[in-house]
């Protein structure tokens, strides 16, 4: 049973029969679509981490989010699961040429890790994932973009490169995720990020994750996020 629900809570607690958290998986209580829950179960996750508990409902609703969390807290699933849920909404199957979700990450390693997580959590839905990063030849990345991706994970430098060559259609982006924003600042990516954001549709969902909130990140967050839900884990 879940650690999140005290078993012997006070007399006005909800009876087990209509408990909002089914015993099968506490993840089911979020209302995530079945194929997403299957992937979570296949990974052996039974209990959402604190950042997941706090973030998933907001992201599912399409809200902007400011997340204070480090890698290792389960933050990738905190945004990937609800975004996969949203992207597989049968009422939202509009045609698109470019990615619907754009994730920006500071390093190649993190970008690859995030894309791998989307593939794992998205293995029972039919979406395509792509990664764009520097230091390798761009041919395969351009080919992937031509085939079409639903989720694009990128490091800012190479993405700007390909954008300037007209290879990255960003007009269909519905959600922007900035991951490890403080490290992007350290690596000099704030200006590139601003130039990328300038090319995105104005109406979109924005999620910003950062382990720390130095002033330039707080400023960036204030400029990008609209009425964000704020979640924080130690
Ligand atoms: P992250 O902070 O996203 O890099 O995730 C850290 C690690 O925790 C990854 O190896 C995930 O597979 C794992 N993880 C994420 N969420 C859960 C969960 N709810 N239960 C167990 N493991 C998880």
């Amino acid at each position: 049973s879940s650690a999140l629900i005290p078993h012997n809570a006070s007399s006005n607690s909800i009876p087990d029969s209509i408990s909002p958290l089914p015993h099968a998986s506490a993840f089911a209580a979020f209302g995530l679509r079945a194929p997403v829950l299957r992937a979570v179960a296949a990974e052996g996750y039974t209990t959402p981490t604190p950042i997941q508990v706090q973030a998933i409902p907001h992201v599912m609703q399409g809200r902007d989010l400011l997340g204070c969390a480090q890698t290792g807290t389960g933050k990738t699933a905190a945004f990937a699961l609800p975004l996969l849920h949203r992207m597989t909404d049968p009422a939202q199957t509009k045609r698109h040429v470019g990615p619907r979700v754009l994730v920006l990450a500071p390093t190649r390693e993190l970008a690859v890790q995030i894309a791998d997580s989307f593939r794992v959590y998205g293995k029972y839905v039919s979406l395509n994932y792509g990664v764009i990063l520097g230091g390798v030849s761009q041919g395969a990345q351009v080919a992937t973009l031509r085939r079409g991706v639903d989720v694009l994970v990128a490091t800012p430098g190479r993405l700007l490169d390909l954008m300037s060559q007209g290879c990255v259609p960003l007009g269909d982006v519905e959600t922007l995720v900035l991951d490890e924003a403080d490290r992007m600042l350290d690596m000099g990516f704030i200006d590139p990020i601003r130039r990328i954001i300038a090319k995105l549709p104005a109406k979109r969902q924005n999620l910003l994750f950062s382990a720390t909130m130095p002033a330039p990140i707080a400023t960036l967050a204030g400029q990008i996020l609209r009425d964000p839900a704020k979640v924080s884990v130690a």
Side-chain angles (χ1 to χ4, degrees), residues 27 45 47-49 52 70-77 113 121:
F27 281 94
Y45 302 175
T47 309
T49 67
Q52 291 162 5
Q70 299 185 351
T71 291
T73 55
K75 80 178 152 56
T76 314
Q113 212 176 297
Y121 303 139

Side-chain angles (χ1 to χ4, degrees), residues 84-190:
L84 288 165
H85 170 88
R86 284 174 68 73
M87 280 191 290
T88 50
D89 182 347
Q92 302 283 328
T93 53
K94 64 166 193 157
R95 271 177 185 283
H96 64 101
V97 286
R100 297 171 64 188
V101 168
L102 174 65
V103 184
L104 298 180
T107 64
R108 300 164 38 161
E109 293 72 23
L110 184 63
V112 167
Q113 212 176 297
I114 294 167
D116 285 347
S117 294
F118 268 101
R119 287 192 187 97
V120 166
Y121 303 139
K123 66 179 169 182
Y124 299 118
V125 302
S126 60
L127 295 172
N128 296 308
Y129 313 95
V131 194
I132 285 182
L133 31 80
V136 293
S137 101
Q138 66 173 51
Q141 295 171 15
V142 173
T144 301
L145 287 170
R146 289 230 174 86
R147 280 197 300 275
V149 296
D150 298 280
V151 177
L152 182 63
V153 186
T155 52
R158 175 60 67 88
L159 180 64
L160 266 182
D161 245 21
L162 295 185
M163 283 168 63
S164 68
Q165 299 171 45
C167 299
V168 198
L170 291 177
D172 292 318
V173 171
E174 297 163 7
T175 303
L176 168 71
V177 183
L178 297 179
D179 201 9
E180 299 201 355
D182 49 359
R183 281 178 78 197
M184 299 226 249
L185 172 71
D186 294 342
M187 298 179 70
F189 284 145
I190 295 301

